[in-house]
Amino acid sequence: MEAGRNQVVVHFKDGKLLKGYSHDFTTTKETFHLTSERPEDRGTVYDVKTDDLKAIFFVKSFAGRQGYVEKSKFEEADPSRLRGLKITVEFKDGEVIR
């Protein structure tokens, strides 16, 4: 990855997903640019409106972790052993992330 570019995966509210690089994402702007790394449109630059997004993930790899299993016992955790701030987010479409 080049300096100044962030490797990102963006999930849109309509279910669309893009993977690529952004050099101008900031929470203070309504849009940012994403250069696609998908095989079908590699190099295409998209203007992404943050209002259209469900989530943005800053990633080390586009491959993902095939064997990853989400932990679902968040509510049962012993709060005395937790460090940092743990949150649960439920999206309008019913998906929950922790």
Side-chain angles (χ1 to χ4, degrees):
M1 182 168 76
E2 293 178 21
R5 292 194 325 165
N6 293 299
Q7 195 166 328
V8 296
V9 176
V10 293
H11 293 253
F12 291 84
K13 291 175 185 174
D14 66 3
K16 187 168 115 180
L17 179 121
L18 285 176
K19 297 178 180 184
Y21 295 94
S22 179
H23 67 277
D24 63 350
F25 174 81
T26 175
T27 58
T28 60
K29 290 180 15 182
E30 295 179 2
T31 62
F32 65 96
H33 298 94
L34 183 137
T35 303
S36 178
E37 278 297 310
R38 298 182 311 172
E40 65 268 24
D41 63 353
R42 183 171 280 121
T44 300
V45 178
Y46 291 92
D47 290 324
V48 179
K49 295 179 183 177
T50 55
D51 280 349
D52 294 340
L53 294 183
K54 177 178 177 179
I56 181 169
F57 298 94
F58 294 84
V59 298
K60 294 179 184 176
S61 166
F62 294 128
R65 296 186 309 190
Q66 297 300 332
Y68 176 75
V69 177
E70 183 177 0
K71 295 180 177 111
S72 60
K73 298 188 180 197
F74 181 72
E75 294 83 7
E76 300 171 13
D78 177 2
S80 68
R81 302 193 68 203
L82 297 177
R83 294 183 303 173
L85 179 63
K86 309 291 184 190
I87 64 169
T88 300
V89 176
E90 183 172 354
F91 294 95
K92 289 181 181 180
D93 66 2
E95 182 179 355
V96 176
I97 62 171
R98 297 175 172 87

